[in-house]
Coordinates of all heavy atoms in Angstrom, one line a residue:
P138 N 3.0 -19.0 -4.8 CA 2.7 -19.1 -3.4 C 3.9 -19.4 -2.6 O 4.0 -18.9 -1.4 CB 1.8 -20.4 -3.4 CG 1.1 -20.4 -4.7 CD 2.2 -19.9 -5.7
E139 N 4.9 -20.1 -3.1 CA 6.2 -20.4 -2.4 C 7.0 -19.1 -2.1 O 7.5 -18.9 -1.0 CB 7.0 -21.4 -3.2 CG 6.4 -22.8 -3.3 CD 5.3 -22.8 -4.3 OE1 5.2 -21.9 -5.2 OE2 4.5 -23.8 -4.3
L140 N 7.0 -18.2 -3.1 CA 7.7 -17.0 -3.0 C 7.0 -16.0 -2.0 O 7.7 -15.3 -1.2 CB 7.9 -16.3 -4.3 CG 9.0 -16.9 -5.2 CD1 8.9 -16.3 -6.6 CD2 10.4 -16.7 -4.7
L141 N 5.7 -16.1 -2.0 CA 4.9 -15.3 -1.0 C 5.3 -15.7 0.4 O 5.5 -14.9 1.3 CB 3.4 -15.4 -1.3 CG 2.5 -14.8 -0.3 CD1 2.7 -13.3 -0.2 CD2 1.0 -15.1 -0.7
E142 N 5.3 -17.0 0.6 CA 5.6 -17.6 1.9 C 7.0 -17.2 2.3 O 7.2 -16.9 3.5 CB 5.4 -19.1 1.9 CG 5.6 -19.8 3.2 CD 5.3 -21.3 3.2 OE1 4.9 -21.8 2.1 OE2 5.5 -21.9 4.2
Q143 N 7.9 -17.4 1.4 CA 9.3 -17.1 1.7 C 9.5 -15.6 2.0 O 10.2 -15.2 3.0 CB 10.2 -17.5 0.5 CG 11.7 -17.2 0.7 CD 12.5 -17.6 -0.5 OE1 12.2 -17.2 -1.6 NE2 13.6 -18.4 -0.3
A144 N 8.9 -14.7 1.2 CA 9.1 -13.3 1.5 C 8.5 -12.8 2.8 O 9.1 -12.0 3.5 CB 8.5 -12.5 0.3
C145 N 7.4 -13.4 3.1 CA 6.6 -12.9 4.3 C 6.8 -13.7 5.5 O 6.1 -13.5 6.5 CB 5.1 -12.8 3.9 SG 4.8 -11.7 2.6
A146 N 7.7 -14.7 5.5 CA 8.0 -15.5 6.7 C 8.4 -14.7 7.9 O 9.1 -13.7 7.7 CB 9.0 -16.6 6.3
P147 N 8.1 -15.1 9.1 CA 8.6 -14.4 10.3 C 10.1 -14.3 10.3 O 10.8 -15.3 10.0 CB 8.1 -15.2 11.4 CG 6.8 -15.9 10.9 CD 7.2 -16.2 9.4
G148 N 10.6 -13.1 10.5 CA 12.1 -13.0 10.5 C 12.7 -12.9 9.1 O 13.9 -12.9 9.0
G149 N 11.8 -12.9 8.1 CA 12.3 -12.9 6.7 C 12.5 -11.5 6.1 O 12.5 -10.5 6.8
P150 N 12.6 -11.5 4.8 CA 12.9 -10.2 4.1 C 11.9 -9.1 4.2 O 12.3 -7.9 4.4 CB 13.1 -10.6 2.6 CG 12.5 -12.0 2.5 CD 12.6 -12.6 3.8
V151 N 10.6 -9.4 4.1 CA 9.6 -8.4 4.2 C 9.6 -7.8 5.7 O 9.5 -6.6 5.9 CB 8.2 -8.9 3.8 CG1 7.1 -7.8 4.2 CG2 8.2 -9.2 2.3
E152 N 9.7 -8.7 6.7 CA 9.8 -8.2 8.0 C 11.0 -7.2 8.2 O 10.9 -6.2 8.9 CB 9.9 -9.3 9.0 CG 9.9 -8.9 10.5 CD 9.8 -10.1 11.4 OE1 8.9 -10.9 11.3 OE2 10.7 -10.2 12.3
T153 N 12.1 -7.6 7.6 CA 13.3 -6.7 7.6 C 13.1 -5.4 6.9 O 13.5 -4.3 7.4 CB 14.5 -7.5 7.0 OG1 14.7 -8.7 7.6 CG2 15.8 -6.6 7.2
L154 N 12.4 -5.4 5.8 CA 12.0 -4.2 5.1 C 11.2 -3.3 6.0 O 11.4 -2.1 6.1 CB 11.3 -4.4 3.8 CG 12.2 -5.1 2.7 CD1 11.3 -5.4 1.5 CD2 13.3 -4.2 2.3
L155 N 10.3 -3.9 6.7 CA 9.4 -3.1 7.6 C 10.2 -2.6 8.8 O 9.9 -1.5 9.3 CB 8.3 -4.0 8.2 CG 7.2 -4.4 7.1 CD1 6.3 -5.5 7.6 CD2 6.5 -3.2 6.6
Q156 N 11.2 -3.3 9.2 CA 12.1 -2.7 10.3 C 12.9 -1.5 9.7 O 13.1 -0.5 10.4 CB 13.1 -3.8 10.7 CG 12.5 -4.9 11.5 CD 13.4 -6.1 11.8 OE1 14.5 -6.1 11.3 NE2 12.9 -7.1 12.5
L157 N 13.4 -1.7 8.5 CA 14.1 -0.5 7.8 C 13.1 0.7 7.7 O 13.6 1.8 7.7 CB 14.6 -1.0 6.5 CG 15.8 -1.9 6.5 CD1 16.0 -2.6 5.2 CD2 17.1 -1.2 7.0
K158 N 11.8 0.4 7.5 CA 10.9 1.5 7.5 C 10.8 2.2 8.8 O 10.8 3.4 8.9 CB 9.5 0.9 7.1 CG 8.4 1.9 7.1 CD 7.0 1.3 6.8 CE 5.9 2.3 6.9 NZ 4.6 1.7 6.5
E159 N 10.8 1.4 9.9 CA 10.8 2.0 11.2 C 12.1 2.8 11.5 O 12.1 3.8 12.2 CB 10.7 0.9 12.3 CG 9.4 0.2 12.3 CD 8.2 1.1 12.7 OE1 8.4 1.9 13.6 OE2 7.2 1.0 12.0
E160 N 13.2 2.4 10.9 CA 14.5 3.1 11.0 C 14.6 4.3 10.1 O 15.6 5.0 10.2 CB 15.6 2.1 10.7 CG 15.7 1.0 11.7 CD 16.6 -0.2 11.3 OE1 17.4 0.1 10.4 OE2 16.4 -1.3 11.8
G161 N 13.6 4.5 9.3 CA 13.6 5.7 8.4 C 14.4 5.6 7.1 O 14.5 6.5 6.3
V162 N 14.8 4.3 6.8 CA 15.6 4.1 5.6 C 14.6 3.9 4.4 O 14.9 4.3 3.3 CB 16.5 2.8 5.7 CG1 17.2 2.5 4.4 CG2 17.5 3.1 6.8
I163 N 13.5 3.4 4.7 CA 12.4 3.1 3.7 C 11.1 3.8 4.1 O 10.8 3.7 5.3 CB 12.2 1.6 3.5 CG1 13.4 0.9 2.8 CG2 10.9 1.4 2.6 CD1 13.3 -0.6 2.8
G164 N 10.5 4.5 3.2 CA 9.3 5.2 3.5 C 8.1 4.3 3.6 O 7.3 4.3 4.5
H165 N 8.0 3.4 2.5 CA 6.8 2.5 2.4 C 7.2 1.3 1.7 O 8.0 1.3 0.8 CB 5.7 3.2 1.6 CG 5.2 4.5 2.3 ND1 4.4 4.5 3.3 CD2 5.6 5.8 2.0 CE1 4.2 5.8 3.7 NE2 4.9 6.6 2.9
V166 N 6.7 0.1 2.2 CA 7.0 -1.2 1.7 C 5.9 -1.7 0.9 O 4.7 -1.7 1.3 CB 7.4 -2.1 2.9 CG1 7.6 -3.6 2.3 CG2 8.6 -1.6 3.7
G167 N 6.2 -2.2 -0.3 CA 5.2 -2.9 -1.2 C 5.7 -4.1 -1.8 O 6.8 -4.7 -1.4
F168 N 5.1 -4.6 -2.8 CA 5.5 -5.7 -3.6 C 5.2 -5.6 -5.0 O 4.2 -4.9 -5.4 CB 5.0 -7.0 -3.0 CG 3.5 -7.3 -3.3 CD1 3.1 -8.1 -4.3 CD2 2.6 -6.8 -2.4 CE1 1.8 -8.4 -4.5 CE2 1.2 -7.0 -2.6 CZ 0.8 -7.8 -3.7
S169 N 6.0 -6.2 -5.9 CA 5.7 -6.3 -7.3 C 5.4 -7.7 -7.6 O 5.8 -8.6 -6.9 CB 6.9 -5.8 -8.2 OG 7.9 -6.7 -8.1
T170 N 4.6 -7.9 -8.7 CA 4.1 -9.3 -8.9 C 3.8 -9.5 -10.4 O 3.3 -8.6 -11.1 CB 2.9 -9.6 -8.0 OG1 2.5 -11.0 -8.3 CG2 1.7 -8.7 -8.3
H171 N 4.1 -10.7 -10.8 CA 3.6 -11.2 -12.1 C 2.8 -12.5 -11.9 O 2.7 -13.3 -12.8 CB 4.8 -11.6 -13.0 CG 5.7 -10.4 -13.4 ND1 6.0 -10.1 -14.7 CD2 6.2 -9.4 -12.7 CE1 6.7 -9.0 -14.8 NE2 6.9 -8.6 -13.5
A172 N 2.2 -12.6 -10.7 CA 1.6 -13.9 -10.3 C 0.2 -14.0 -10.8 O -0.4 -13.1 -11.3 CB 1.5 -13.9 -8.7
P173 N -0.3 -15.3 -10.7 CA -1.7 -15.5 -11.0 C -2.6 -14.7 -10.0 O -2.1 -14.4 -8.9 CB -1.9 -17.0 -10.8 CG -0.6 -17.6 -10.9 CD 0.4 -16.5 -10.5
L174 N -3.8 -14.4 -10.3 CA -4.6 -13.5 -9.5 C -4.8 -14.0 -8.1 O -4.7 -13.2 -7.1 CB -6.0 -13.4 -10.1 CG -7.1 -12.6 -9.4 CD1 -6.6 -11.1 -9.2 CD2 -8.4 -12.6 -10.1
H175 N -4.9 -15.3 -7.8 CA -5.2 -15.8 -6.5 C -4.0 -15.5 -5.6 O -4.1 -15.3 -4.4 CB -5.6 -17.3 -6.5 CG -4.4 -18.2 -6.8 ND1 -4.0 -18.5 -8.1 CD2 -3.6 -18.9 -6.0 CE1 -3.0 -19.3 -8.1 NE2 -2.8 -19.6 -6.8
V176 N -2.8 -15.5 -6.1 CA -1.6 -15.2 -5.3 C -1.5 -13.8 -5.0 O -1.2 -13.4 -3.9 CB -0.3 -15.7 -6.1 CG1 1.0 -15.3 -5.3 CG2 -0.3 -17.2 -6.4
I177 N -1.8 -12.9 -6.0 CA -1.8 -11.5 -5.7 C -2.8 -11.1 -4.6 O -2.5 -10.4 -3.7 CB -2.2 -10.7 -7.0 CG1 -1.2 -11.0 -8.1 CG2 -2.2 -9.2 -6.7 CD1 -1.5 -10.4 -9.4
L178 N -4.0 -11.7 -4.7 CA -5.0 -11.4 -3.6 C -4.5 -11.9 -2.3 O -4.7 -11.2 -1.3 CB -6.3 -12.2 -4.0 CG -7.0 -11.7 -5.3 CD1 -8.2 -12.6 -5.6 CD2 -7.5 -10.2 -5.1
K179 N -3.9 -13.0 -2.2 CA -3.4 -13.5 -0.9 C -2.3 -12.6 -0.4 O -2.2 -12.4 0.8 CB -2.9 -15.0 -1.1 CG -2.5 -15.7 0.2 CD -2.2 -17.1 0.0 CE -1.9 -17.8 1.3 NZ -1.5 -19.3 1.1
A180 N -1.5 -12.1 -1.3 CA -0.4 -11.2 -0.8 C -1.0 -9.9 -0.3 O -0.6 -9.4 0.8 CB 0.6 -10.9 -2.0
I181 N -2.0 -9.4 -0.9 CA -2.7 -8.1 -0.5 C -3.3 -8.4 0.9 O -3.3 -7.5 1.8 CB -3.7 -7.7 -1.5 CG1 -3.0 -7.2 -2.8 CG2 -4.6 -6.6 -0.9 CD1 -4.0 -6.9 -3.9
E182 N -3.9 -9.6 1.1 CA -4.6 -9.9 2.3 C -3.7 -10.1 3.5 O -4.2 -10.1 4.6 CB -5.5 -11.1 2.1 CG -6.7 -10.9 1.2 CD -7.4 -12.1 0.7 OE1 -6.8 -13.2 0.9 OE2 -8.5 -12.0 0.2
T183 N -2.4 -10.1 3.3 CA -1.5 -10.2 4.4 C -1.5 -8.9 5.2 O -1.0 -8.9 6.4 CB 0.0 -10.5 4.0 OG1 0.5 -9.4 3.2 CG2 0.1 -11.8 3.2
D184 N -1.9 -7.8 4.6 CA -1.9 -6.5 5.2 C -0.5 -6.0 5.6 O -0.3 -5.2 6.5 CB -2.8 -6.4 6.5 CG -4.3 -6.6 6.1 OD1 -4.6 -6.0 5.0 OD2 -5.0 -7.2 6.8
L185 N 0.6 -6.6 5.0 CA 1.9 -6.2 5.3 C 2.4 -5.0 4.4 O 3.4 -4.4 4.7 CB 2.9 -7.4 5.0 CG 2.8 -8.5 6.0 CD1 3.6 -9.7 5.5 CD2 3.2 -8.1 7.4
F186 N 1.7 -4.7 3.3 CA 2.2 -3.8 2.3 C 1.3 -2.6 2.1 O 0.1 -2.6 2.3 CB 2.2 -4.6 0.9 CG 3.0 -5.9 1.0 CD1 2.4 -7.1 1.0 CD2 4.4 -5.8 0.9 CE1 3.1 -8.3 1.1 CE2 5.2 -7.0 0.9 CZ 4.5 -8.2 1.0

Side-chain angles (χ1 to χ4, degrees):
E139 294 76 19
L140 285 169
L141 173 60
E142 182 177 358
Q143 181 182 50
C145 299
V151 170
E152 185 174 303
T153 305
L154 292 174
L155 293 170
Q156 290 170 358
L157 289 165
K158 177 181 176 180
E159 292 296 318
E160 295 166 19
V162 176
I163 292 171
H165 301 279
V166 176
F168 72 98
S169 73
T170 180
H171 295 232
L174 176 60
H175 72 278
V176 176
I177 302 175
L178 294 173
K179 190 172 181 181
I181 292 172
E182 287 168 348
T183 66
D184 292 323
L185 293 172
F186 302 103

